[in-house]
Amino acid sequence: MLLLPIPAFDDNYIWLFSDGQAAWVVDPGDAAPVIATLQERQLTLAGILLTHHHGDHTGGIAALRERFAVPVYGPAKPPARELVSHPLRDGDCLQLGHRQFSVIAVPGHTLDHIAFHSATDKLLFCGDTLFSAGCGRVFEGTYEQMHASLQLLAALPDDTRVCCAHEYTLSNLRFAVAVEPDNQAMRDYQASCESLRSTGQPTLPSLLGLEKQVNPFLRCSDVAEFSARREWKNRY
Ligand code: ZN
Ligand code: FE
């Protein structure tokens, strides 16, 4: 399987996966880099996956659909619902080519936010809910909801590849080492991510098992600790 983060805007990734000819993209905030990648690799767009309604994830959908007339699999909840041809709810299964995904509702960053998990391919598209060494801001939901959503994702197998929608890893790690100055796994991960970024390479996908060691938002004992860290990070 081909799995590719297509850079968009300043720090977004539009994930593309494909087996051979057919390709799917996740959260295409911009159509142009998707079209360029499809042409370059001689792939045909077969569908669009959407995690939540924010413009940096949805901005390219109209142009892509105009050109390729493909289905959009995404939240059954508004406001994302209006962009979606195949609405999905928590627990739904989605078959795309040979690949099966299950849908996990992860409210917090937005109320419509969903994640796509493939158990067989050990793959998670988590949008703006889980970032490497960080998590999304809680814009629409409560801290309780966001904490519960992150706990759901943390319960997936350790070898799950975590495909986040933003390259925020280095700035997240600057905060993470302030939270846990004695965490050597964080320091080691920071060094390896700095070397990746210095040569322009993505730090993603991450692995869930690693995130459990280095992500301060997966390392909270309860909602109170999560909320305190999230508020600290907002001001950091
Ligand atoms: Zn967002
Ligand atoms: Fe975003």
Side-chain angles (χ1 to χ4, degrees):
M1 180 189 65
L2 173 68
L3 177 67
L4 205 65
I6 303 172
F9 310 119
D10 287 339
D11 50 36
N12 281 72
Y13 288 130
I14 301 166
W15 288 91
L16 177 149
F17 61 92
S18 146
D19 1 55
Q21 174 81 89
W24 289 265
V25 291
V26 186
D27 289 348
D30 191 2
V34 173
I35 292 167
T37 304
L38 292 167
Q39 283 174 346
E40 211 175 271
R41 300 195 173 241
Q42 304 196 316
L43 298 168
T44 310
L45 191 66
I48 295 168
L49 285 71
L50 176 62
T51 63
H52 68 294
H53 70 87
H54 284 159
D56 61 315
H57 302 246
T58 60
I61 291 178
L64 288 173
R65 287 195 91 181
E66 211 165 289
R67 194 172 171 127
F68 301 104
V70 292
V72 180
Y73 309 94
K77 283 192 184 164
R81 174 64 185 92
E82 63 192 65
L83 298 163
V84 164
S85 63
H86 291 62
L88 299 168
R89 291 185 173 75
D90 186 56
D92 282 353
C93 283
L94 178 62
Q95 178 90 35
L96 299 176
H98 307 301
R99 201 154 279 112
Q100 263 212 350
F101 289 94
S102 58
V103 174
I104 309 171
V106 285
H109 177 70
T110 64
L111 291 175
D112 60 9
H113 207 306
I114 59 173
F116 297 88
H117 173 237
S118 170
T120 46
D121 290 282
K122 305 176 190 304
L123 203 52
L124 175 69
F125 297 112
C126 48
D128 286 355
T129 297
L130 176 61
F131 294 128
S132 186
C135 73
R137 281 178 185 261
V138 181
F139 285 126
E140 296 177 9
T142 62
Y143 287 125
E144 285 77 7
Q145 281 177 315
M146 189 64 162
H147 181 250
S149 295
L150 290 169
Q151 293 296 113
L152 282 177
L153 299 183
L156 299 174
D158 280 356
D159 55 358
T160 305
R161 289 172 288 175
V162 183
C163 302
C164 320
H166 289 272
E167 179 63 68
Y168 288 157
T169 313
L170 284 184
S171 66
N172 285 339
L173 280 166
R174 281 191 285 277
F175 173 75
V177 298
V179 176
E180 289 189 55
D182 300 326
N183 185 327
Q184 190 56 44
M186 274 179 190
R187 304 274 180 183
D188 295 345
Y189 184 51
Q190 190 176 33
S192 75
C193 289
E194 272 166 3
S195 109
L196 283 171
R197 294 308 293 152
S198 71
T199 56
Q201 295 173 75
T203 61
L204 301 169
S206 183
L207 283 174
L208 198 54
L210 174 68
E211 290 304 316
K212 290 182 200 171
Q213 293 183 280
V214 302
N215 192 319
F217 297 100
L218 298 183
R219 298 169 59 75
C220 306
S221 47
D222 56 19
V223 187
E225 191 173 33
F226 171 77
S227 310
R229 286 184 181 185
R230 189 56 261 183
E231 276 176 12
W232 181 11
K233 175 75 160 58
N234 293 347
R235 289 177 273 112
Y236 193 76

